[in-house]
Amino acid sequence: MLSWVPRVLLALLLPPLLTHGQARRREHPQAQNTSRPALLRLSDYLLANYQKGVRPVRDWRKPTTVSIDVIVYAILSVDEKNQVLTTYIWYRQYWTDEFLQWNPEDFDNITKLSIPTESIWVPDILINEFVDVGKSPSIPYVYVGHHGEVQNYKPLQVVTACSLDIYNFPFDVQNCSLTFTSWLHTIQDINISLWRLPEKVKLDKTIFMNQGEWELLGVLTQFREFSMESSGCYAEMKFFVVIRRRPLFYTVSLLLPSIFLMFMDIVGFYLPPDSGERVSFKITLLLGYSVFLIIVSDTLPATAIGTPLIGVYFVVCMALLVVSLAETILIVRLVHKQDLQQPVPAWLRHLVLERVALLLCLGEQTASRRPPATPRAAKTDDCSDVGNHCSHLRGPQDLEKTPRGRGSPPSPPRESSLAVCGLLQELSSIRHFLEKRDESREVAREWLHVGSVLDGLLFRIYLVAVLAYSITLVTLWSIWQYS
């Protein structure tokens, strides 16, 4: 009747003994199979019952803190038209996985192990500004420490949206942000912190490729918590990548040719205004500047929301060349064929040759006064005198009938009197021609003086406008370059 007692005792004692044995084998895995490599035993020990779909904390109320770090390696491209920045960065993550812990003494003093990334839990931290998938190499492993610290290092080609301000081109400074945040988990589940101190992140340029168009000024950091209406509070870490364009190439290829053309346009004012070469010279400069703008149009950045200041500079320079050509045409029109024009009006002579000349420190441009024109009555008298003299000459009959006094001289022959009459008429015509030519020359000289004074005035106005505009732009660009 007592034969069932041993069976009952065996049934009660066997399960605890088996459970205790399994626990001892788990605590001392080296006792299971010391012939297997330590790395294999450790990998099997960590991943045997690991659930990668569950956040690795023993207390669900405790958030998982993920420390991140960014090191900028290169600025690959800046697309001003599409407002896209492409960078290459070294990205590092660090968090603690409470399910990946072991005692190094049990596994041949192994303190760090690399295991596949797809086998463990990884935080869903993304960059909010992502607009395209970059060509990043795949890193399939992570490092795990014996206290559960997981280090995930990987290079990333980041294609992000950035608000690019090109108004200061080519002396522009761009500030683009990379915002790292968990796409799903709130701050109660995943919190984000900075791996290094902000000062070290800002000044770290050890691996940056500094031979391209862009210069890295620094990387600023900012932590922020934000909330959405339909969900809880989220944590995010912003990295502000501040870069500056190197302007030397654009200064040589864009600004210097434009400056040279404008300088030649100013020099063109020293050509005589009465020569037709100035107009052709200005037209050649205008055509050359038009070809220059066509060539550099592909170099200038273009956006739908703004135009760089250098584009406005080119348009204004083009307008100044047109104004210079119009001024040259006006002056040439004043001084061309002056002998066929009317005399200079008195008000214009007073305004230009006296007032404007004094204003320009040229002295009063008093043209030599032409001699007063001989009154028409006097000219008529001269002609009548010649006619009377010729009419007083009588025919042969009158000469024969004229009694000669005893003491009177003999009358001149008839042929001599006619020759004298013709000579007097020729002299009168020559005198009239010379007087008319002197009047035309005086009119031409006055119009030339008026054109020269107006040309000097317009040249000074044009020069002041060009210098003021150039000094303003150089000052602005200098401030932007060294700010």
Side-chain angles (χ1 to χ4, degrees):
M1 185 173 180
L2 297 177
S3 59
W4 56 272
V5 175
R7 297 178 181 177
V8 172
L9 293 176
L10 181 62
L12 293 175
L13 295 177
L14 184 58
L17 291 175
L18 292 176
T19 304
H20 181 67
Q22 292 177 355
R24 290 188 61 186
R25 285 195 300 270
R26 183 171 181 84
E27 292 176 359
H28 302 280
Q30 73 278 10
Q32 298 180 19
N33 190 1
T34 57
S35 62
R36 296 186 63 196
L39 290 177
L40 291 178
R41 290 188 289 109
L42 178 59
S43 177
D44 294 340
Y45 170 75
L46 295 177
L47 302 178
N49 297 317
Y50 189 88
Q51 297 292 330
K52 66 177 182 179
V54 180
R55 191 166 58 90
V57 290
R58 301 187 185 279
D59 184 3
W60 65 272
R61 301 177 185 84
K62 179 182 177 182
T64 300
T65 300
V66 180
S67 301
I68 63 176
D69 187 23
V70 168
I71 303 176
V72 179
Y73 180 75
I75 305 296
L76 300 182
S77 68
V78 178
D79 189 351
E80 294 88 354
K81 183 178 182 180
N82 297 318
Q83 299 284 292
V84 172
L85 171 69
T86 305
T87 56
Y88 197 82
I89 63 175
W90 288 5
Y91 176 63
R92 301 191 296 178
Q93 290 183 134
Y94 171 87
W95 70 92
T96 300
D97 192 324
E98 298 181 4
F99 298 156
L100 298 177
Q101 298 177 353
W102 71 91
N103 185 6
E105 297 178 356
D106 297 336
F107 298 95
D108 199 13
N109 293 322
I110 297 176
T111 58
K112 184 181 291 187
L113 175 69
S114 62
I115 58 178
T117 306
E118 59 184 12
S119 300
I120 65 172
W121 179 88
V122 178
D124 59 337
I125 294 180
L126 301 176
I127 300 178
N128 290 343
E129 294 85 356
F130 258 133
V131 294
D132 194 5
V133 178
K135 300 178 182 179
S136 304
S138 177
I139 307 299
Y141 296 98
V142 295
Y143 259 132
V144 180
H146 67 283
H147 292 297
E149 59 274 13
V150 182
Q151 299 178 5
N152 186 12
Y153 298 173
K154 53 185 176 181
L156 294 177
Q157 180 179 338
V158 183
V159 183
T160 57
C162 179
S163 180
L164 301 173
D165 184 9
I166 62 171
Y167 182 74
N168 303 339
F169 175 87
F171 304 96
D172 51 334
V173 176
Q174 306 296 341
N175 188 350
C176 298
S177 62
L178 303 176
T179 305
F180 293 85
T181 183
S182 174
W183 192 253
L184 178 65
H185 297 85
T186 62
I187 196 172
Q188 286 78 21
D189 295 331
I190 294 180
N191 191 14
I192 300 177
S193 64
L194 194 62
W195 191 333
R196 297 183 297 170
L197 294 177
E199 294 77 12
K200 293 185 178 180
V201 177
K202 177 181 179 181
L203 302 176
D204 190 0
K205 304 178 186 178
T206 53
I207 64 172
F208 181 72
M209 295 181 61
N210 202 25
Q211 303 299 324
E213 178 183 353
W214 294 90
E215 175 188 2
L216 179 64
L217 298 182
V219 179
L220 307 178
T221 58
Q222 179 186 8
F223 175 78
R224 188 174 71 95
E225 297 181 6
F226 69 96
S227 59
M228 303 180 67
E229 297 179 358
S230 59
S231 58
C233 185
Y234 294 85
E236 70 175 17
M237 181 67 68
K238 280 183 174 289
F239 291 86
F240 297 96
V241 180
V242 184
I243 56 178
R244 178 172 60 192
R245 193 191 307 265
R246 290 188 171 95
L248 180 60
F249 169 76
Y250 299 98
T251 302
V252 173
S253 61
L254 298 181
L255 292 181
L256 288 184
S258 178
I259 293 173
F260 291 156
L261 289 175
M262 294 302 297
F263 177 75
M264 292 306 300
D265 181 65
I266 294 175
V267 173
F269 278 93
Y270 285 94
L271 290 174
D274 55 343
S275 66
E277 296 298 328
R278 182 190 282 193
V279 176
S280 60
F281 180 75
K282 299 280 186 179
I283 293 176
T284 303
L285 284 179
L286 188 60
L287 292 177
Y289 204 86
S290 301
V291 174
F292 167 73
L293 290 184
I294 294 174
I295 294 175
V296 304
S297 59
D298 296 335
T299 307
L300 296 178
T303 61
I305 59 176
T307 302
L309 183 60
I310 192 173
V312 179
Y313 165 75
F314 289 148
V315 173
V316 173
C317 289
M318 189 78 171
L320 289 175
L321 290 177
V322 173
V323 170
S324 174
L325 178 59
E327 182 269 343
T328 300
I329 294 174
L330 174 63
I331 298 301
V332 171
R333 175 63 183 86
L334 287 177
V335 302
H336 183 64
K337 292 184 179 181
Q338 308 93 335
D339 52 346
L340 302 180
Q341 300 184 19
Q342 296 295 327
V344 179
W347 64 270
L348 184 60
R349 183 188 302 111
H350 174 73
L351 178 63
V352 175
L353 299 182
E354 297 178 8
R355 297 298 180 85
V356 176
L358 291 176
L359 180 63
L360 300 179
C361 301
L362 298 177
E364 186 176 354
Q365 298 291 320
T366 56
S368 58
R369 301 292 182 183
R370 59 181 181 272
T374 305
R376 186 174 298 273
K379 297 179 181 179
T380 305
D381 292 343
D382 294 341
C383 294
S384 62
D385 291 343
V386 175
N388 292 335
H389 177 75
C390 295
S391 63
H392 288 166
L393 298 175
R394 302 173 183 178
Q397 298 82 5
D398 295 336
L399 293 174
E400 294 177 356
K401 295 178 181 179
T402 302
R404 295 181 181 177
R406 182 177 295 178
S408 60
S411 60
R414 181 172 178 271
E415 293 79 1
S416 301
S417 299
L418 292 176
V420 171
C421 179
L423 180 60
L424 292 176
Q425 289 179 352
E426 292 294 334
L427 290 176
S428 178
S429 300
I430 293 174
R431 176 185 175 186
H432 294 163
F433 172 76
L434 293 176
E435 288 178 351
K436 185 177 180 180
R437 188 185 65 178
D438 291 342
E439 290 178 3
S440 300
R441 288 182 176 179
E442 187 62 30
V443 170
R445 190 179 297 109
E446 285 190 351
W447 279 114
L448 183 60
H449 289 166
V450 171
S452 300
V453 174
L454 289 179
D455 183 61
L457 174 64
L458 296 178
F459 168 69
R460 284 165 172 78
I461 295 175
Y462 180 79
L463 185 61
V464 169
V466 172
L467 290 179
Y469 183 64
S470 302
I471 291 174
T472 302
L473 289 181
V474 170
T475 303
L476 290 176
W477 284 332
S478 300
I479 293 174
W480 295 333
Q481 175 70 13
Y482 298 104
S483 61

